[in-house]
Amino acid sequence: MRIILLGPPGAGKGTQAKDLVTKYGIPQISTGDILRKNLADKTPLGLEAKKYMDKGELVPDSVVVGIVRDRLKESDCKKGYILDGFPRTVPQAEALDAALAEMKTPIDKVLSIEVPDSELVKRLGGRRTCRSCQAGYHVMFKPSKKEGVCDSCGGELYQRDDDKEEAIKNRLKVYMASTAPLIGYYKNKGMLATIDGVGDMKVILDRMVKALKG
Ligand code: ADP
Ligand code: AMP
């Protein structure tokens, strides 16, 4: 199964992707995680991407398209994958279409997760992420058992630089301008399912599974 998770920052793409990984046994491909890993490793790519990420801007299309093209060729993607945070612009979606046409492996479904802005701001402001295993938490909505410590691996939880107020505002603006047009793009292709992203995380997972079956 090849799935795209579409939705604004804070919609729950990463949270749901991790449960879909367990359910379907396919990998999560998060361009944000790949970029942050490059940044932590201080690679030239990571240092270049940081300039955009800290401000809540999008990294140039050519950079992320290259990352995804390479990743999709890895053997664990043969059974399928969950794209989380990619594509984020129409040119990225077109580049993905071209790459997948060449590989003869079309996307099965695009799930567009809908959450109102006021809720997104609350979610992003309280998000915490494990530095070691990237598990996601929220100080109110999904707290770790011990403050600042990952339940899964004992790693340190941190607040992302782009989860500060100014960057959050800009990311929501950038989403509306550059990424929201993808909803129409995939709707026109008959690939889109809309998911209500408000409510219990397990209930949202059920909604997604139902949409994937339908
Ligand atoms: P995205 O990957 O779309 O940016 P995340 O999955 O990281 O979003 O979720 C953003 C924040 O919101 C995280 O702190 C997560 O724990 C929290 N969250 C995710 N889904 C829900 C939900 N259904 N209800 C409340 N909080 C949620
Ligand atoms: P995310 O982890 O998905 O919230 O992404 C964090 C940041 O990484 C974004 O705000 C962008 O700066 C960058 N990024 C991640 N994915 C993409 C993408 N597909 N296109 C452009 N920039 C991206």
Side-chain angles (χ1 to χ4, degrees), residues 65-81:
V65 166
I67 290 174
V68 173
R69 263 181 202 278
D70 290 346
R71 182 66 185 85
L72 294 182
K73 287 181 193 140
E74 289 180 32
S75 60
D76 64 335
C77 292
K78 285 212 176 83
K79 279 203 305 184
Y81 44 78

Side-chain angles (χ1 to χ4, degrees), residues 7-17 28 84-85 88 113 115 119-120 122-129 136-139 141-142 160 163 171 197-202 204:
K13 300 182 295 296
T15 303
Q16 296 299 335
Q28 169 194 13
D84 158 13
R88 256 181 160 98
I113 313 175
V115 175
E119 172 76 13
L120 295 173
K122 280 188 228 159
R123 288 189 187 181
L124 293 170
R127 173 159 63 185
R128 298 293 181 271
T129 309
Y137 294 89
H138 190 282
V139 291
F141 308 140
K142 193 184 176 189
R160 281 169 42 174
D163 280 344
R171 283 158 69 209
V198 178
D200 184 87
M201 294 173 201
K202 289 277 174 278
I204 296 167

Side-chain angles (χ1 to χ4, degrees), residues 9 13 30-33 35-36 49 52-54 56-61 64 84-89 92 127 160 162 171:
K13 300 182 295 296
S30 156
T31 40
D33 282 352
L35 292 168
R36 279 185 292 279
Y52 301 93
M53 294 169 79
D54 281 353
E57 298 290 340
L58 294 181
V59 172
D61 289 337
V64 281
D84 158 13
F86 180 92
R88 256 181 160 98
T89 64
Q92 288 180 21
R127 173 159 63 185
R160 281 169 42 174
D162 60 353
R171 283 158 69 209

Side-chain angles (χ1 to χ4, degrees), residues 1 3-6 11-13 15-17 19-20 23-24 109 111-114 193-197 201-214:
M1 177 125 52
I3 308 167
I4 292 174
L5 296 186
L6 197 60
K13 300 182 295 296
T15 303
Q16 296 299 335
D19 284 345
L20 293 169
K23 183 152 181 72
Y24 294 110
K109 203 86 182 174
L111 302 179
S112 170
I113 313 175
E114 294 188 339
T194 302
I195 305 291
D196 176 2
M201 294 173 201
K202 289 277 174 278
V203 173
I204 296 167
L205 178 68
D206 288 345
R207 290 175 192 152
M208 290 186 166
V209 171
K210 226 177 251 164
L212 290 171
K213 281 182 185 152

